[in-house]
Amino acid sequence: MQYNPGWNSSSVNLLHVRAAGPGDSLHYVWSSIGAPAVLLVATQSPSSALRVNWTQLLSPSPAGAVWIDPPDSVVYSTAVVFTKLFEFSEAKPLEELFYPTYDLSEFSWDSLNRTLNHTALTAELSGAPATDPGGGFANGSLAFRVTAYEAGGRSGRLPSLLHTADSSQLEFVLAGVAPRGNGSRFLLEVATVEEAGAVRRLRSERSIDDEYTPTIFEVLSLVAESQNGSSTLGFLQWKATAYGSRSPRREDGIRCRAQGLRAANWTLPASSIVQAYFGESLGSTCTISALNVSFGGEEGQVYQEKRYLSWSVLLGFGQPPRDTFSALVISITAVALGTPLAMLLLGSCLVLLARRRRYSEYEPIN
């Protein structure tokens, strides 16, 4: 993990996370220069490196300021941009009242270097609006918590997402922000950037297994696929829940909904790291898609009471991890289903033996 590689100032934030394998390497580049975003790049070289021209990156024209060396080692690249935070409430049945939007590209962000933990591979990017006329952020903040992984496993905190060494977890946190209405709900706008040859699709999978995230039976994935659908290139994955507590429990759950993936026909909010890497192709050959993730519902009062909201999402390369039944659940199921079956077979055998003994005293009639 590198903070602002090649730059000594902490007035801006750029975090480079690199994972090296025997024949390839993966790069995650997180930044709050403009709208907060993450650039994901997979290469065929175990020694590929991130290069940054800082003077150009911080200029009004950052195109070409960020690249991977050697350039021909790159096999896939994408970006995720967190653009806006909406707040709304139901004024009347079937009618929603939206308050002025929080544009994340206009936030002021704290130095990420203060929270960087090279041992735990974690960092936190925290900020608030540069101008806040309504005072909603007077005692609150919006944060993105990043966790990188060296091996596969499962997060110890709810929603206990399953991860691999090829993925990183992002936790979106809204803490202490004063709602502007009774029963306010929040909605986070997420945009993705894909180069020519790849498209994003939203998948929903349901399972009867809620062992690791009680009462939640749905997993959503925003996957990037090649145009012919032959392979999955990258993904975002999350459980259909958020939580209203710093130490989340089942009863702290807040409904989380994805409001449909759509082609973005608007201008992508300025994110220097994305513009710096994709350059001119950002407005021509690249495909930009957007997704709204809303938090709240019948449980809308959870945030009103606790003033806390956290939503976890996994980002990575290749296929998203798939949960399977644990050995404990398989054992319990086997016992629950196997015991009645064994009793039925045993009872049938005893009945057959009893019938044979009952008629064994009689000679067959010719």
Side-chain angles (χ1 to χ4, degrees):
M1 301 180 76
Q2 296 175 293
Y3 176 70
N4 288 353
W7 187 254
N8 294 324
S9 173
S10 60
S11 59
V12 295
N13 291 308
L14 188 149
L15 175 65
H16 175 220
V17 182
R18 178 175 174 270
D24 56 6
S25 57
L26 308 175
H27 299 264
Y28 293 83
V29 186
W30 304 85
S31 174
S32 64
I33 306 174
V38 55
L39 174 68
L40 297 87
V41 184
T43 74
Q44 291 178 326
S45 169
S47 59
S48 61
L50 175 72
R51 305 299 183 197
V52 181
N53 182 330
W54 282 98
T55 303
Q56 187 176 355
L57 177 62
L58 300 178
S59 72
S61 302
V66 173
W67 69 99
I68 298 295
D69 191 25
D72 59 0
S73 67
V74 176
V75 293
Y76 173 64
S77 55
T78 184
V80 180
V81 187
F82 302 93
T83 54
K84 297 176 182 178
L85 179 69
F86 297 93
E87 181 183 349
F88 65 97
S89 61
E90 287 188 357
K92 297 177 182 178
L94 304 178
E95 182 179 328
E96 294 175 344
L97 171 64
F98 277 82
Y99 299 96
T101 303
Y102 293 116
D103 190 334
L104 301 190
S105 65
E106 298 176 356
F107 271 44
S108 175
W109 302 94
D110 297 337
S111 173
L112 186 147
N113 194 37
R114 296 186 298 103
T115 62
L116 187 57
N117 187 324
H118 289 274
T119 303
L121 301 179
T122 58
E124 180 176 323
L125 183 64
S126 179
T131 58
D132 186 20
F137 278 79
N139 298 308
S141 65
L142 182 153
F144 294 97
R145 295 174 181 167
V146 179
T147 303
Y149 298 107
E150 292 182 313
R154 188 182 297 277
S155 173
R157 285 165 48 90
L158 289 176
S160 305
L161 293 176
L162 181 66
H163 62 259
T164 67
D166 296 343
S167 60
S168 294
Q169 180 171 297
L170 177 71
E171 184 180 3
F172 166 72
V173 178
L174 201 62
V177 178
R180 291 173 283 185
N182 294 327
S184 280
R185 304 176 193 175
F186 292 94
L187 184 152
L188 180 66
E189 185 179 69
V190 183
T192 62
V193 180
E194 294 292 336
E195 291 185 309
V199 293
R200 286 275 177 176
R201 304 188 192 280
L202 181 63
R203 297 176 181 171
S204 174
E205 295 185 8
R206 294 183 178 273
S207 169
I208 62 172
D209 183 19
D210 68 339
E211 177 185 3
Y212 300 104
T213 312
T215 73
I216 304 301
F217 302 94
E218 184 180 15
V219 179
L220 295 110
S221 301
L222 185 58
V223 298
E225 299 176 343
S226 56
Q227 289 280 10
N228 56 15
S230 61
S231 61
T232 300
L233 305 172
F235 67 87
L236 279 76
Q237 184 186 60
W238 65 95
K239 297 280 184 80
T241 185
Y243 291 95
S245 172
R246 298 180 187 273
S247 302
R249 298 168 298 173
R250 180 184 62 81
E251 55 266 31
D252 299 318
I254 299 174
R255 179 175 297 181
C256 170
R257 291 176 176 172
Q259 298 187 353
L261 183 66
R262 66 192 188 281
N265 54 7
W266 36 260
T267 303
L268 185 71
S271 174
S272 293
I273 194 70
V274 176
Q275 294 171 330
Y277 182 82
F278 290 100
E280 299 298 328
S281 64
L282 190 60
S284 56
T285 59
C286 287
T287 301
I288 302 175
S289 304
L291 177 76
N292 290 338
V293 181
S294 65
F295 311 101
E298 292 81 359
E299 325 87 336
Q301 297 299 319
V302 174
Y303 183 82
Q304 293 279 354
E305 297 172 0
K306 301 188 177 181
R307 300 283 178 93
Y308 191 87
L309 167 70
S310 70
W311 172 63
S312 298
V313 58
L314 196 71
L315 304 91
F317 298 88
Q319 289 281 358
R322 299 193 66 175
D323 263 322
T324 57
F325 290 103
S326 69
L328 176 62
V329 170
I330 293 174
S331 300
I332 293 174
T333 305
V335 170
L337 297 178
T339 301
L341 181 61
M343 293 179 65
L344 180 62
L345 291 174
L346 180 61
S348 300
C349 293
L350 291 176
V351 169
L352 290 174
L353 288 173
R355 292 184 64 183
R356 289 189 62 184
R357 288 181 179 179
R358 180 178 178 182
Y359 296 106
S360 61
E361 299 174 0
Y362 297 89
E363 294 293 333
I365 301 175
N366 189 348

PDB file of all heavy atoms in Angstrom, residues 33 54-63 65 270-272 275-276:
ATOM      1  N   ILE A  33      -9.503  13.028  -5.371  1.00  0.00           N
ATOM      2  CA  ILE A  33      -9.258  14.224  -6.172  1.00  0.00           C
ATOM      3  C   ILE A  33     -10.453  14.368  -7.108  1.00  0.00           C
ATOM      4  O   ILE A  33     -10.576  13.664  -8.104  1.00  0.00           O
ATOM      5  CB  ILE A  33      -7.941  14.112  -6.966  1.00  0.00           C
ATOM      6  CG1 ILE A  33      -6.785  13.790  -6.025  1.00  0.00           C
ATOM      7  CG2 ILE A  33      -7.667  15.413  -7.718  1.00  0.00           C
ATOM      8  CD1 ILE A  33      -5.468  13.523  -6.736  1.00  0.00           C
ATOM      9  N   TRP A  54       2.304  14.071 -11.242  1.00  0.00           N
ATOM     10  CA  TRP A  54       1.512  14.835 -10.291  1.00  0.00           C
ATOM     11  C   TRP A  54       1.176  16.237 -10.788  1.00  0.00           C
ATOM     12  O   TRP A  54       0.071  16.736 -10.564  1.00  0.00           O
ATOM     13  CB  TRP A  54       2.225  14.899  -8.944  1.00  0.00           C
ATOM     14  CG  TRP A  54       2.073  13.633  -8.163  1.00  0.00           C
ATOM     15  CD1 TRP A  54       2.952  12.601  -8.076  1.00  0.00           C
ATOM     16  CD2 TRP A  54       0.950  13.271  -7.369  1.00  0.00           C
ATOM     17  NE1 TRP A  54       2.447  11.601  -7.286  1.00  0.00           N
ATOM     18  CE2 TRP A  54       1.214  11.996  -6.817  1.00  0.00           C
ATOM     19  CE3 TRP A  54      -0.263  13.886  -7.053  1.00  0.00           C
ATOM     20  CZ2 TRP A  54       0.326  11.334  -5.992  1.00  0.00           C
ATOM     21  CZ3 TRP A  54      -1.156  13.237  -6.225  1.00  0.00           C
ATOM     22  CH2 TRP A  54      -0.862  11.967  -5.709  1.00  0.00           C
ATOM     23  N   THR A  55       2.112  16.865 -11.443  1.00  0.00           N
ATOM     24  CA  THR A  55       1.852  18.214 -11.956  1.00  0.00           C
ATOM     25  C   THR A  55       0.673  18.203 -12.917  1.00  0.00           C
ATOM     26  O   THR A  55      -0.219  19.049 -12.853  1.00  0.00           O
ATOM     27  CB  THR A  55       3.102  18.772 -12.652  1.00  0.00           C
ATOM     28  OG1 THR A  55       4.204  18.752 -11.730  1.00  0.00           O
ATOM     29  CG2 THR A  55       2.859  20.190 -13.141  1.00  0.00           C
ATOM     30  N   GLN A  56       0.645  17.201 -13.777  1.00  0.00           N
ATOM     31  CA  GLN A  56      -0.446  17.093 -14.740  1.00  0.00           C
ATOM     32  C   GLN A  56      -1.727  16.632 -14.073  1.00  0.00           C
ATOM     33  O   GLN A  56      -2.827  17.081 -14.420  1.00  0.00           O
ATOM     34  CB  GLN A  56      -0.046  16.134 -15.858  1.00  0.00           C
ATOM     35  CG  GLN A  56      -1.042  16.074 -17.016  1.00  0.00           C
ATOM     36  CD  GLN A  56      -0.552  15.186 -18.145  1.00  0.00           C
ATOM     37  OE1 GLN A  56       0.576  14.682 -18.117  1.00  0.00           O
ATOM     38  NE2 GLN A  56      -1.405  14.974 -19.146  1.00  0.00           N
ATOM     39  N   LEU A  57      -1.615  15.717 -13.106  1.00  0.00           N
ATOM     40  CA  LEU A  57      -2.798  15.192 -12.427  1.00  0.00           C
ATOM     41  C   LEU A  57      -3.564  16.303 -11.722  1.00  0.00           C
ATOM     42  O   LEU A  57      -4.801  16.307 -11.708  1.00  0.00           O
ATOM     43  CB  LEU A  57      -2.394  14.108 -11.424  1.00  0.00           C
ATOM     44  CG  LEU A  57      -3.523  13.499 -10.580  1.00  0.00           C
ATOM     45  CD1 LEU A  57      -4.544  12.795 -11.470  1.00  0.00           C
ATOM     46  CD2 LEU A  57      -2.966  12.536  -9.545  1.00  0.00           C
ATOM     47  N   LEU A  58      -2.853  17.251 -11.123  1.00  0.00           N
ATOM     48  CA  LEU A  58      -3.496  18.328 -10.375  1.00  0.00           C
ATOM     49  C   LEU A  58      -3.810  19.542 -11.242  1.00  0.00           C
ATOM     50  O   LEU A  58      -4.238  20.578 -10.732  1.00  0.00           O
ATOM     51  CB  LEU A  58      -2.600  18.740  -9.198  1.00  0.00           C
ATOM     52  CG  LEU A  58      -2.299  17.616  -8.186  1.00  0.00           C
ATOM     53  CD1 LEU A  58      -1.369  18.108  -7.098  1.00  0.00           C
ATOM     54  CD2 LEU A  58      -3.594  17.079  -7.581  1.00  0.00           C
ATOM     55  N   SER A  59      -3.608  19.422 -12.530  1.00  0.00           N
ATOM     56  CA  SER A  59      -3.915  20.509 -13.460  1.00  0.00           C
ATOM     57  C   SER A  59      -5.352  20.380 -13.952  1.00  0.00           C
ATOM     58  O   SER A  59      -5.998  19.346 -13.747  1.00  0.00           O
ATOM     59  CB  SER A  59      -2.945  20.475 -14.643  1.00  0.00           C
ATOM     60  OG  SER A  59      -3.244  19.376 -15.496  1.00  0.00           O
ATOM     61  N   PRO A  60      -5.879  21.399 -14.636  1.00  0.00           N
ATOM     62  CA  PRO A  60      -7.245  21.302 -15.171  1.00  0.00           C
ATOM     63  C   PRO A  60      -7.394  20.249 -16.270  1.00  0.00           C
ATOM     64  O   PRO A  60      -8.509  19.863 -16.600  1.00  0.00           O
ATOM     65  CB  PRO A  60      -7.504  22.709 -15.734  1.00  0.00           C
ATOM     66  CG  PRO A  60      -6.548  23.600 -15.002  1.00  0.00           C
ATOM     67  CD  PRO A  60      -5.334  22.763 -14.761  1.00  0.00           C
ATOM     68  N   SER A  61      -6.281  19.776 -16.851  1.00  0.00           N
ATOM     69  CA  SER A  61      -6.326  18.769 -17.916  1.00  0.00           C
ATOM     70  C   SER A  61      -5.471  17.569 -17.517  1.00  0.00           C
ATOM     71  O   SER A  61      -4.312  17.439 -17.928  1.00  0.00           O
ATOM     72  CB  SER A  61      -5.824  19.360 -19.239  1.00  0.00           C
ATOM     73  OG  SER A  61      -6.602  20.484 -19.609  1.00  0.00           O
ATOM     74  N   PRO A  62      -6.027  16.654 -16.700  1.00  0.00           N
ATOM     75  CA  PRO A  62      -5.216  15.552 -16.168  1.00  0.00           C
ATOM     76  C   PRO A  62      -5.058  14.348 -17.089  1.00  0.00           C
ATOM     77  O   PRO A  62      -4.395  13.377 -16.710  1.00  0.00           O
ATOM     78  CB  PRO A  62      -5.986  15.159 -14.907  1.00  0.00           C
ATOM     79  CG  PRO A  62      -7.415  15.461 -15.245  1.00  0.00           C
ATOM     80  CD  PRO A  62      -7.386  16.672 -16.137  1.00  0.00           C
ATOM     81  N   ALA A  63      -5.648  14.355 -18.277  1.00  0.00           N
ATOM     82  CA  ALA A  63      -5.601  13.185 -19.169  1.00  0.00           C
ATOM     83  C   ALA A  63      -4.165  12.743 -19.423  1.00  0.00           C
ATOM     84  O   ALA A  63      -3.311  13.548 -19.793  1.00  0.00           O
ATOM     85  CB  ALA A  63      -6.289  13.505 -20.494  1.00  0.00           C
ATOM     86  N   ALA A  65      -2.117  11.523 -17.094  1.00  0.00           N
ATOM     87  CA  ALA A  65      -1.241  11.719 -15.940  1.00  0.00           C
ATOM     88  C   ALA A  65      -1.035  10.445 -15.128  1.00  0.00           C
ATOM     89  O   ALA A  65      -0.129  10.370 -14.300  1.00  0.00           O
ATOM     90  CB  ALA A  65      -1.802  12.812 -15.029  1.00  0.00           C
ATOM     91  N   ALA A 270     -16.473  15.305 -12.277  1.00  0.00           N
ATOM     92  CA  ALA A 270     -15.015  15.334 -12.402  1.00  0.00           C
ATOM     93  C   ALA A 270     -14.347  14.444 -11.360  1.00  0.00           C
ATOM     94  O   ALA A 270     -14.532  14.614 -10.161  1.00  0.00           O
ATOM     95  CB  ALA A 270     -14.517  16.758 -12.262  1.00  0.00           C
ATOM     96  N   SER A 271     -13.629  13.448 -11.830  1.00  0.00           N
ATOM     97  CA  SER A 271     -12.793  12.602 -10.981  1.00  0.00           C
ATOM     98  C   SER A 271     -11.446  12.523 -11.671  1.00  0.00           C
ATOM     99  O   SER A 271     -11.294  11.848 -12.692  1.00  0.00           O
ATOM    100  CB  SER A 271     -13.401  11.211 -10.810  1.00  0.00           C
ATOM    101  OG  SER A 271     -12.513  10.375 -10.091  1.00  0.00           O
ATOM    102  N   SER A 272     -10.459  13.214 -11.122  1.00  0.00           N
ATOM    103  CA  SER A 272      -9.182  13.353 -11.818  1.00  0.00           C
ATOM    104  C   SER A 272      -8.517  12.027 -12.090  1.00  0.00           C
ATOM    105  O   SER A 272      -7.899  11.839 -13.139  1.00  0.00           O
ATOM    106  CB  SER A 272      -8.249  14.257 -10.992  1.00  0.00           C
ATOM    107  OG  SER A 272      -8.741  15.573 -10.965  1.00  0.00           O
ATOM    108  N   GLN A 275     -10.218  10.490 -15.203  1.00  0.00           N
ATOM    109  CA  GLN A 275      -9.859  11.254 -16.396  1.00  0.00           C
ATOM    110  C   GLN A 275      -8.384  11.083 -16.730  1.00  0.00           C
ATOM    111  O   GLN A 275      -8.003  10.994 -17.896  1.00  0.00           O
ATOM    112  CB  GLN A 275     -10.183  12.726 -16.178  1.00  0.00           C
ATOM    113  CG  GLN A 275     -11.674  13.004 -16.041  1.00  0.00           C
ATOM    114  CD  GLN A 275     -11.955  14.429 -15.620  1.00  0.00           C
ATOM    115  OE1 GLN A 275     -11.158  15.050 -14.914  1.00  0.00           O
ATOM    116  NE2 GLN A 275     -13.090  14.962 -16.053  1.00  0.00           N
ATOM    117  N   ALA A 276      -7.546  11.010 -15.700  1.00  0.00           N
ATOM    118  CA  ALA A 276      -6.110  10.888 -15.913  1.00  0.00           C
ATOM    119  C   ALA A 276      -5.740   9.564 -16.549  1.00  0.00           C
ATOM    120  O   ALA A 276      -4.805   9.491 -17.356  1.00  0.00           O
ATOM    121  CB  ALA A 276      -5.375  11.052 -14.582  1.00  0.00           C
TER     122      ALA A 276
END
